[in-house]
Amino acid sequence: MNIATVVVDVPAMNTDREYDYLIPEKWSGMIQPGMRVNVPFGPRNVQGFVTDIRDHSDYDSLKAIVEPMDILPVLNQELLLLGEWLTEKTLCFKIQAFQAMLPAAMRAKYEKVFIPRDQQVLEKPELKKIFNQKGEIPWDVGEKLNLLTLLKREVEAGALELLYKVKSKGKKRTVKMIGTALTKEELIQAEKQLMGNSTKQKRVLQYFIDNGPDICIKKQLMQETDAGDSTIKSLLEKEYLFERNVESYRDPYEHHHFEKTTSFPLTEEQTNAILPILDAIEKKQHETFLLYGVTGSGKTEIYLQSIQRVLEQGKEAIVLVPEISLTPQMVRRFKSRFGNDVAALHSGLSVGEKYDEWRKILRKEVKVVVGARSAIFAPFENIGIIIIDEEHETSYKQEENPRYHARDVAIKRGQFYQCPVILGSATPSLESFARAKKQVFSLLTLRKRMNNQALPSVEIVDMREELRSGNRSMFSTKLFEKLQDRIKKKEQTVLLLNRRGHSSFVMCRDCGYVVQCPNCDISLTFHRYSHSMKCHYCGFESRVPNVCPECQSEHIRYFGTGTQKVEEELLKLLPEARVIRMDVDTTSRKGAHEKLLQQFGDGKADILLGTQMIAKGLDFPNITLVGVLSADTTLHIPDFRSSEKTFQLLTQVSGRAGRHELPGEVVIQTYTPEHYSIELAGEQDYDRFYQKEMMVRKLGGYPPFYYVALITVSHDEVMTAASVTEKITKFIRPHLSDKAIILGPVASPIPRINNRYRYQCLIKYKREPKLNETLRKVMEHFATSGKKHIQVAIDVNPYMMM
DNA sequence: TCTTGCCTATTC
DNA sequence: AATAGGCAAGAC
């Protein structure tokens, strides 16, 4: 058993397999599957994952592992298996699947440096200046100074050596602790022996005499005894005290205080819903539940009490929340109920903080994880429940490799641990609801709000009418009147600016010219903050032109309604209103999001104005009005899910109003009031929306009636991109049944990104056992062989059709 | 004859 | 992904 199979950190088609390595004597028995190792690969060293330990290899000139990068496995047996499954299902590389399961801090960093072979090189005049303090020359320094040929020659001459370093980015933070090994009596003795003028040292020793020999944090000790660094140092030298580095965690919730809460009594509906879940927990049975409950129906309390039961069994729980930094209220609820048993993993944390939270999970110091998408890979080994809140959210689908959906991973893990999976939503995805109707999932329904408060009344305002009657502002008469009314009554309003897919662009008023990105076929987005235009796909940036490049007109300016513009108009029309604006600009700073919400919750503003990010999770008693400024912007993006997304967004945001004693009202402004997704969102009628949308999907041949796989090919030249896509289409056809529909090749909705032309091919199918195998072959064939620079991206069950 | 660029195979 | 080796076209 001295051979390890290793998946190396080289994401490419031809290296997507296991390589065998010898385990050096000194680490035999210590190296285990799931550990990261540093291995030689070709001429360099890379990071790799040990997948298995064997006693024999078919390959006879094995290299040895350089060193292990972990003391204990970072992936357990189940996660290794899960990685294999991910690789197969999402058609990614093995290494990508493993990387996705770990925090970013654990991705290896590579460094190349030239080191001297002998001391004489250090004196060479042409090199002398560029050696750094460590006596090394980093590769990129050599590159910058154009000295690579010279340096390489020195390597060949044997004067220098090129060293490949593999570094783990994750740094554990430590604190210095001070303690004493002496007994109380010995300490008193020691104190007497000190010189009379060493008052500070005496005080420190006195501290230990008073508080016992306990170890304490150096910083605190210094503060409490008013001692300096040198005082402690001399005591250490006299060996009265000892110093030790102890690993510490960065605690993102350090300054928060969580009021302990206990279970609330459940309503009858909630009790009916929780019983089947508790039953599955009790029976240790896997079952997927779809918890369909209107906004404010108390889904969270069901989650909390289910988790409670799981914890009583000594098991662990994973809770997924969409982009958790957006719902600090949610984390607070879990921390309040389960205290220090909770780890939170979300995008608001720094890389280091995420790493710390993750290590708490690995060491079983917590029992509950609340996190965004990637938290589904939490390295627990005894999972008792997995909960996905707002299961319809598209952020659960990863848009890079591995292109997984957290829902699928959750069910896979739930099967492994024989535990229930709960998908909660007020507006379930059509896929999930259809599965519930077919009894693949068990449907649990909450129709009433917790306090029996009625759902808010919704009014839809036709903005075309407003325009006809001469109102050219962005607020309809109705919305404006209600806004004034709320301010008078000191109640709060939430205003949603729906602007996904409709960001501000720069257009000439005279000739209609819109400024496009030179590298991509998409218009540039206007950024007021820097007064520049940016491309969201390739990063291109340029100044706003003063005259139109087409017709030289000076009437060129930005269009599209941004939150700033709405804010300006609000302040003009309602100068007494206090407005909090939430968008990318105001929430980019760490913790800004939470702070703004806190301010709003404390009643420091009358109006909360924002984009999509305010639609979820807000729960403030004083909100009695919700206004949607333009409901239909999401409707016009080329995506078969656009109606569903519009309906969900409108329903979610409407649910923010009147959650407590005060009744709520909602005003939805739109240019297409007759569209069913807007009309039915107005009636808060999910069931009718479901039926209507299912008809549309059936006619169009879209999910949940068909599965979809999307192949996107890109290349520098249009012709190559088109012809390769054509070839792929022809290649796939004979491998699939007659029932599969292959659409394409067609140009992608964004035909060019970063000067690469994009063509795509869409496969619709119901049951194709050989599909994944065929798609693998496509990758092997077309992504590598000969034709360079061809990129083939395959997305099974895509959420972004662009 | 010696460089350069480009393609291909290889990496345990 | 990164490299070495092979080959052919250009530089002197």
Side-chain angles (χ1 to χ4, degrees):
Chain A
M1 302 301 261
N2 63 337
I3 287 160
T5 59
V6 174
V7 172
V8 293
D9 182 18
V10 181
M13 197 70 235
N14 17 2
T15 51
D16 184 34
R17 55 194 198 84
E18 283 153 334
Y19 289 87
D20 296 348
Y21 286 91
L22 279 174
I23 302 173
E25 196 63 43
K26 54 184 161 176
W27 291 312
S28 97
M30 182 265 178
I31 288 185
Q32 293 163 43
M35 278 185 181
R36 295 172 306 151
V37 284
N38 181 352
V39 289
F41 193 67
R44 62 196 204 274
N45 289 353
V46 295
Q47 186 185 70
F49 286 86
V50 177
T51 50
D52 200 5
I53 305 288
R54 300 185 187 165
D55 52 11
H56 137 274
S57 168
D58 295 333
Y59 197 85
D60 36 49
S61 50
L62 294 183
K63 288 185 184 174
I65 290 173
V66 176
E67 59 174 350
M69 298 179 72
D70 298 301
I71 315 268
L72 290 168
V74 290
L75 296 174
N76 60 42
Q77 207 61 48
E78 181 246 342
L79 288 173
L80 284 170
L81 278 170
L82 191 69
E84 255 169 61
W85 173 84
L86 258 186
T87 306
E88 197 192 312
K89 288 286 171 191
T90 69
L91 297 151
C92 67
F93 303 131
K94 292 178 201 296
I95 188 68
Q96 294 173 322
F98 291 143
Q99 301 278 33
M101 301 197 270
L102 297 176
M106 292 176 77
R107 216 151 293 160
K109 237 172 71 185
Y110 300 102
E111 207 180 61
K112 288 195 285 187
V113 286
F114 293 97
I115 54 165
R117 268 261 172 87
D118 52 65
Q119 293 310 301
Q120 289 158 26
V121 203
L122 286 166
E123 299 306 317
K124 285 209 173 182
E126 68 270 31
L127 297 178
K128 200 174 174 181
K129 287 166 288 195
I130 53 176
F131 279 106
N132 60 18
Q133 290 109 319
K134 280 191 249 162
E136 298 169 340
I137 305 172
W139 175 280
D140 42 326
V141 168
E143 199 168 32
K144 231 178 263 162
L145 300 172
N146 246 336
L147 289 171
L148 284 186
T149 19
L150 177 75
L151 290 167
K152 276 186 185 165
R153 213 167 280 146
E154 295 291 346
V155 172
E156 272 159 41
L160 288 176
E161 189 179 352
L162 183 55
L163 195 73
Y164 297 88
K165 289 190 186 171
V166 182
K167 284 192 196 162
S168 194
K169 273 189 281 188
K171 278 197 215 87
K172 290 165 195 159
R173 190 205 260 184
T174 57
V175 270
K176 284 201 162 71
M177 304 279 277
I178 303 289
T180 178
L182 306 183
T183 61
K184 206 166 179 173
E185 287 69 37
E186 285 171 318
L187 280 170
I188 296 168
Q189 269 313 111
E191 199 196 341
K192 281 185 187 143
Q193 278 172 23
L194 287 171
M195 302 273 284
N197 60 356
S198 49
T199 45
K200 287 264 173 81
Q201 291 188 36
K202 282 187 175 169
R203 203 182 306 158
V204 173
L205 287 185
Q206 192 60 49
Y207 178 88
F208 280 99
I209 292 165
D210 296 343
N211 297 292
D214 274 355
I215 198 160
C216 61
I217 296 166
K218 187 175 176 182
K219 226 181 181 173
Q220 276 176 11
L221 177 70
M222 281 161 60
Q223 230 167 44
E224 278 190 40
T225 59
D226 197 29
D229 229 21
S230 48
T231 312
I232 307 278
K233 209 165 147 195
S234 27
L235 285 168
L236 288 172
E237 273 164 18
K238 289 176 188 134
E239 290 190 353
Y240 294 156
L241 303 178
F242 63 81
E243 187 182 63
R244 193 184 286 165
N245 278 322
V246 176
E247 211 179 298
S248 83
Y249 296 121
R250 287 150 270 223
D251 185 359
Y253 291 91
E254 204 173 358
H255 303 298
H256 293 236
H257 178 67
F258 298 103
E259 211 64 59
K260 189 86 186 153
T261 63
T262 44
S263 297
F264 294 109
L266 298 179
T267 65
E268 196 187 332
E269 248 193 353
Q270 283 176 314
T271 313
N272 289 338
I274 203 172
L275 282 176
I277 300 172
L278 297 181
D279 197 43
I281 295 171
E282 226 50 66
K283 288 187 180 143
K284 301 179 174 55
Q285 232 172 40
H286 167 66
E287 194 171 346
T288 304
F289 295 96
L290 177 61
L291 178 57
Y292 162 47
V294 295
T295 49
S297 60
K299 292 187 286 289
T300 313
E301 191 56 34
I302 293 186
Y303 303 155
L304 291 169
Q305 295 194 20
S306 306
I307 294 170
Q308 188 70 49
R309 186 65 61 90
V310 165
L311 297 186
E312 281 161 15
Q313 282 192 354
K315 294 188 177 180
E316 299 127 358
I318 298 178
V319 184
L320 296 193
V321 193
E323 266 324 313
I324 199 171
S325 63
L326 310 182
T327 61
Q329 288 185 326
M330 193 75 169
V331 187
R332 188 167 302 134
R333 289 186 75 172
F334 282 87
K335 286 244 179 193
S336 302
R337 191 69 60 88
F338 305 117
N340 284 334
D341 279 341
V342 181
L345 282 170
H346 57 85
S347 60
L349 302 180
S350 72
V351 172
E353 284 170 338
K354 271 190 215 156
Y355 178 51
D356 285 349
E357 293 294 296
W358 185 87
R359 272 187 307 130
K360 282 188 205 164
I361 305 165
L362 187 73
R363 299 161 149 222
K364 312 278 146 56
E365 291 171 7
V366 291
K367 291 275 177 191
V368 181
V369 172
V370 184
R373 181 181 57 229
S374 62
I376 194 60
F377 298 114
F380 280 142
E381 290 180 296
N382 194 10
I383 298 173
I385 196 168
I386 303 176
I387 294 165
I388 303 189
D389 190 36
E390 311 282 359
E391 72 79 44
H392 61 275
E393 270 299 309
T394 50
S395 67
Y396 288 128
K397 173 73 197 303
Q398 176 143 81
E399 292 297 345
E400 301 120 55
N401 276 339
R403 299 172 190 268
Y404 67 93
H405 196 296
R407 194 197 295 138
D408 304 328
V409 181
I411 293 171
K412 184 74 187 166
R413 293 194 87 181
Q415 285 166 350
F416 184 92
Y417 289 104
Q418 286 299 303
C419 74
V421 172
I422 304 177
L423 311 174
S425 177
T427 50
S429 63
L430 287 216
E431 281 96 330
S432 293
F433 206 74
R435 251 167 234 171
K437 292 233 158 168
K438 284 174 83 181
Q439 333 234 298
V440 182
F441 296 167
S442 314
L443 185 64
L444 307 169
T445 314
L446 300 173
R447 296 206 168 268
K448 293 191 204 118
R449 286 186 144 189
M450 245 187 320
N451 45 9
N452 269 326
Q453 183 60 254
L455 283 168
S457 66
V458 182
E459 268 183 87
I460 295 173
V461 178
D462 187 345
M463 287 308 272
R464 293 170 304 188
E465 291 285 336
E466 291 288 319
L467 210 63
R468 253 173 254 144
S469 57
N471 179 4
R472 298 189 61 195
S473 91
M474 50 186 92
F475 303 104
S476 57
T477 324
K478 200 154 255 161
L479 180 57
F480 188 66
E481 278 169 7
K482 289 194 195 296
L483 263 173
Q484 283 178 311
D485 175 59
R486 295 310 128 121
I487 288 172
K488 211 181 292 158
K489 287 202 265 181
K490 301 250 179 289
E491 291 172 7
Q492 291 179 302
T493 302
V494 167
L495 280 184
L496 172 81
L497 184 66
N498 182 13
R499 48 171 283 183
R500 190 184 293 160
H502 206 296
S503 43
S504 12
F505 50 97
V506 176
M507 187 170 92
C508 171
R509 287 201 152 189
D510 286 344
C511 71
Y513 170 82
V514 175
V515 184
Q516 300 273 122
C517 172
N519 308 319
C520 314
D521 290 329
I522 198 139
S523 49
L524 293 174
T525 306
F526 177 73
H527 284 246
R528 168 177 292 222
Y529 186 69
S530 53
H531 202 76
S532 64
M533 304 176 298
K534 277 185 197 152
C535 171
H536 284 191
Y537 289 87
C538 73
F540 175 86
E541 194 174 347
S542 96
R543 305 269 320 154
V544 180
N546 293 324
V547 292
C548 171
E550 288 288 299
C551 71
Q552 318 305 320
S553 155
E554 284 177 13
H555 299 134
I556 186 160
R557 47 149 88 196
Y558 77 91
F559 269 75
T561 317
T563 40
Q564 295 107 326
K565 208 169 158 190
V566 182
E567 189 183 21
E568 275 170 26
E569 185 148 339
L570 264 177
L571 293 177
K572 221 181 286 162
L573 296 170
L574 295 165
E576 72 276 27
R578 296 164 303 163
V579 181
I580 289 183
R581 177 163 61 88
M582 272 178 66
D583 56 25
V584 209
D585 286 343
T586 60
T587 56
S588 53
R589 251 190 40 251
K590 213 181 131 190
H593 194 277
E594 188 172 2
K595 208 182 256 168
L596 290 176
L597 283 185
Q598 187 68 49
Q599 284 174 11
F600 188 65
D602 292 346
K604 291 193 180 122
D606 309 298
I607 298 171
L608 178 67
L609 164 68
T611 50
Q612 264 75 1
M613 57 174 80
I614 59 167
K616 266 154 257 143
L618 290 186
D619 189 357
F620 297 123
N622 208 23
I623 302 176
T624 57
L625 175 64
V626 167
V628 181
L629 292 177
S630 50
D632 28 26
T633 44
T634 36
L635 220 45
H636 307 303
I637 34 184
D639 184 335
F640 67 87
R641 275 183 252 259
S642 62
S643 302
E644 187 184 351
K645 282 183 195 158
T646 306
F647 178 84
Q648 284 163 350
L649 180 67
L650 295 180
T651 311
Q652 294 283 335
V653 75
S654 304
R656 299 307 119 211
R659 290 172 74 99
H660 296 261
E661 280 79 39
L662 299 166
E665 274 186 299
V666 179
V667 177
I668 295 176
Q669 300 185 163
T670 173
Y671 289 91
T672 44
E674 65 282 355
H675 193 284
Y676 64 93
S677 63
I678 291 174
E679 205 184 309
L680 294 174
E683 289 164 30
Q684 314 252 317
D685 193 339
Y686 176 81
D687 300 280
R688 266 180 65 208
F689 174 77
Y690 172 78
Q691 276 161 15
K692 174 79 190 157
E693 182 67 8
M694 282 296 267
M695 298 269 287
V696 175
R697 300 284 179 93
K698 191 170 189 176
L699 286 172
Y702 282 113
F705 293 96
Y706 277 87
Y707 291 106
V708 168
L710 180 72
I711 306 175
T712 307
V713 177
S714 69
H715 191 267
D716 296 353
E717 287 158 39
V718 207
M719 284 307 293
T720 321
S723 70
V724 170
T725 316
E726 173 85 47
K727 275 183 202 148
I728 290 176
T729 317
K730 291 220 173 90
F731 172 83
I732 294 172
R733 184 70 268 182
H735 287 88
L736 301 184
S737 74
D738 303 342
K739 286 188 183 147
I741 303 163
I742 302 178
L743 301 173
V746 288
S748 291
I750 303 170
R752 187 179 52 133
I753 292 178
N754 220 347
N755 280 322
R756 297 180 62 88
Y757 292 89
R758 296 149 43 83
Y759 269 76
Q760 65 181 35
C761 156
L762 194 70
I763 306 165
K764 295 192 199 171
Y765 61 99
K766 279 182 192 276
R767 220 184 71 84
E768 296 294 335
K770 283 169 79 183
L771 180 73
N772 273 37
E773 193 189 315
T774 309
L775 292 176
R776 264 275 164 211
K777 278 189 195 141
V778 168
M779 283 172 67
E780 280 163 24
H781 248 93
F782 296 92
T784 52
S785 76
K787 304 141 209 152
K788 251 184 43 180
H789 303 309
I790 293 176
Q791 271 178 36
V792 181
I794 300 178
D795 194 341
V796 184
N797 299 324
Y799 272 67
M800 283 248 301
M801 309 299 276
M802 317 277 245

